[in-house]
Amino acid sequence: MSDEYRPDGHREAVDQQRALAFETLAVHAGQPADPSTGAVVTPIYQTSTFAQSEVGRHQGYEYSRSGNPTRAALEACLAALEGATHGLAFSSGLAAEDAILRTLEPGDHVLIGDDVYGGTYRLLSEVHDRGGLSFTPVALGDPAAVAAAWRPSTRMVWVETPSNPLLRIADIAALAELAHGHGHGHGAKVVVDNTFATPYLQRPLDLGADVAVHSTTKYLGGHSDVVGGFAATSDPEVAGRLAFLQNATGAVPGPFDCFLVLRGVKTLAVRMERHCANAQRVVEALIAHRAVDRVYYPGLPEHAGHRTARTQMRGFGGMVSFTVRGGEARALAVARSTSIFTLAESLGAVESLIEHPHRMTHASVAGSALAVDPALLRLSVGLEAADDLVADLREALDMAGDG
C-alpha cells in the first residue's frame, strides 16, 4: 500500500452501516471489537512498521505513513458519518485543505467565500498562488455574484457554511448545481469546509458537494487535546488522488491522535445538541445587552442565511460572533474580562472560548478585502451551564461598558 491506493477503500463497510442512525454510526462504524482480544475500543496501533511473511505479503499494512489500523478505523467512521465512500485522515485541517488544493493544476482558478478562515486564505494567497493557482473571494450566498466571478479556468468552489467568523450561510445544493453545470461537462468541484456544522448538523455530500473537509481538532475531537484533519468524498478519482497525496507528502495523524478523535466522535451528537442549545441562550443575552452592536448567528430569523440554514442544517451550531459598541478597545476589554470563556484560539470543544479574530485567527487577512472588523469577537459556546455562560458574558460586557 506504500505507493498505491486501493480503490475499494471503506466502501463495503460504509454500505453495510448506511441504514443506521447517526448516533449509532458514531459509536460503531469502522470499529468492530478487536478480533484478537475482543477489546471493545479500537486499539492504538503505536507502530511504525508491520512484519511481512515474504516480500509483498502482509496483513494489509506495511508502514504507518501509508496505513495504520487505528487510522483506518477513524477514516471508516468519519466517512460513514458524512455518507461518503472514501475518507482520508490528515495531520491537521490545513494539511487536508492543502491536499485538496493539490488536486488542481497550475493555471486553475478557485472561487472562495468572502468570509473564510484566515489559515485557508493564507494557504491560497501565500502558498498555492506561487504554484500557479489563482483565487477570487466572492459572496457565495449571491448566485449572481458567483456567476459574475466565474472564469473558464474555474475548477473549484471552496465553501464555508457557516463561515468563519461571520457565520454566513451558502446554499450548498445551489452552488453544486451551478458549479457542475459550467463548462459543458468540465465544471468545478465543490468543497465544503464542514468544521463548524459537523456531519451531525449538515451533510454536504448529500446536497451535491464533491468533498467535505474538517479540522478534526474542533468539534469532532471535541476536547482540545488533539490536532487533525479529514476529507470525505464519494468521487473515486478525487479519493485516489487524495490518497496518493496523503501517502506521498506524509501529512498523516499518528495512531494516538486517531484514537482521540474516535473517542470524541462517539459523543458528537449529544455534544452538538448542547452546543446549539447553549448558543441560543448566549445569543438571546447578547441581543439584549446595551454594549452589543450586532450579533451574527444563523439561528436568528433576521440572519440573511436563516432560511437556507433551516433547510440544509439540523441545528444552527455552537458558534456565535458579535461586535461591541465602542470598537476594538472595548472588544479587547471584553475578551480579557471573561472568566468562564477562555481567551484562546480554536473552537468546538467542551469548554467555551472567546477570541478576537482581527488579531488572532484572521490576522492573515488584515489589509485584504476579507479584513475582519476589529470590534468583532467570536465565541465557541461550550457545554457549561448556560446560566453561568450568560452571567460571565454579561459581567464582562458591563465592565467593558463602564471602562
Side-chain angles (χ1 to χ4, degrees):
M1 189 171 166
S2 296
D3 296 305
E4 292 186 40
Y5 174 61
R6 291 179 290 183
D8 59 308
H10 307 300
R11 188 188 312 274
E12 183 178 352
V14 172
D15 287 344
Q16 292 174 349
Q17 301 280 7
R18 190 166 282 147
L20 298 176
F22 184 96
E23 294 85 345
T24 306
L25 289 174
V27 174
H28 294 288
Q31 304 165 77
D34 180 58
S36 61
T37 66
V40 171
V41 175
T42 300
I44 303 169
Y45 287 90
Q46 195 67 45
T47 182
S48 61
T49 192
F50 301 84
Q52 302 185 28
S53 58
E54 57 184 85
V55 175
R57 187 172 181 179
H58 49 75
Q59 299 181 58
Y61 298 94
E62 303 167 68
Y63 185 61
S64 277
R65 170 171 48 78
S66 303
N68 178 283
T70 315
R71 192 172 92 212
L74 175 63
E75 291 174 333
C77 181
L78 296 186
L81 297 184
E82 282 288 6
T85 55
H86 304 281
L88 299 114
F90 292 85
S91 56
S92 70
L94 281 171
E97 293 190 11
D98 179 62
I100 293 167
L101 291 170
R102 286 176 185 266
T103 65
L104 299 174
E105 300 292 336
D108 286 350
H109 174 248
V110 182
L111 289 178
I112 68 170
D114 57 358
D115 178 52
V116 296
Y117 169 50
T120 301
Y121 179 84
R122 181 178 58 232
L123 183 63
L124 279 161
S125 64
E126 301 294 333
V127 179
H128 283 280
D129 67 327
R130 300 187 182 189
L133 291 186
S134 60
F135 70 98
T136 302
V138 62
L140 294 178
D142 181 352
V146 176
W150 201 275
R151 300 180 188 176
S153 59
T154 301
R155 293 292 178 268
M156 185 172 286
V157 181
W158 193 279
V159 185
E160 285 183 15
T161 182
S163 68
N164 185 3
L166 296 179
L167 301 168
R168 292 174 179 164
I169 300 296
D171 187 329
I172 298 171
L175 287 172
E177 182 177 3
L178 185 155
H180 296 158
H182 266 277
H184 306 290
H186 300 285
K189 301 294 187 184
V190 174
V191 178
V192 177
D193 185 336
N194 206 28
T195 299
F196 274 23
T198 80
Y200 181 70
L201 299 182
Q202 176 175 272
R203 298 230 303 190
L205 272 61
D206 290 351
L207 299 168
D210 299 285
V211 183
V213 63
H214 290 269
S215 169
T216 59
T217 311
K218 312 305 193 297
Y219 287 106
L220 297 181
H223 292 80
S224 294
D225 55 8
V226 64
V227 173
F230 181 74
T233 184
S234 292
D235 184 321
E237 182 178 349
V238 172
R241 182 61 181 160
L242 287 176
F244 172 82
L245 290 165
Q246 181 196 49
N247 182 49
T249 63
V252 295
F256 187 61
D257 295 334
C258 295
F259 166 82
L260 289 173
V261 178
L262 275 171
R263 182 201 60 178
V265 166
K266 291 178 189 295
T267 59
L268 179 62
V270 292
R271 285 189 288 108
M272 292 311 297
E273 292 288 349
R274 181 62 174 265
H275 284 301
C276 291
N278 278 359
Q280 184 63 43
R281 286 285 308 279
V282 164
V283 165
E284 293 167 359
L286 290 173
I287 289 173
H289 202 284
R290 66 188 185 280
V292 174
D293 184 36
R294 183 175 179 182
V295 178
Y296 299 86
Y297 187 64
L300 292 171
E302 60 268 28
H303 187 287
H306 177 70
R307 182 175 297 180
T308 300
R310 286 185 61 185
T311 300
Q312 68 187 21
M313 298 178 71
R314 189 198 300 240
F316 301 111
M319 300 301 299
V320 180
S321 293
F322 66 100
T323 51
V324 180
R325 298 185 191 279
E328 183 174 19
R330 284 192 173 176
L332 293 173
V334 172
R336 65 173 175 262
S337 298
T338 55
S339 56
I340 297 176
F341 280 85
T342 300
L343 177 58
E345 297 192 8
S346 199
L347 59 101
V350 294
E351 66 277 342
S352 293
L353 304 178
I354 185 170
E355 68 110 7
H356 186 249
H358 178 73
R359 295 198 182 196
M360 296 171 71
T361 56
H362 289 69
S364 60
V365 303
S368 76
L370 281 68
V372 178
D373 185 346
L376 185 81
L377 293 171
R378 190 192 73 184
L379 303 177
S380 175
V381 182
L383 306 186
E384 302 92 341
D387 287 345
D388 292 335
L389 296 176
V390 167
D392 187 39
L393 286 172
R394 284 175 175 160
E395 183 177 353
L397 287 164
D398 288 344
M399 292 173 60
D402 295 337

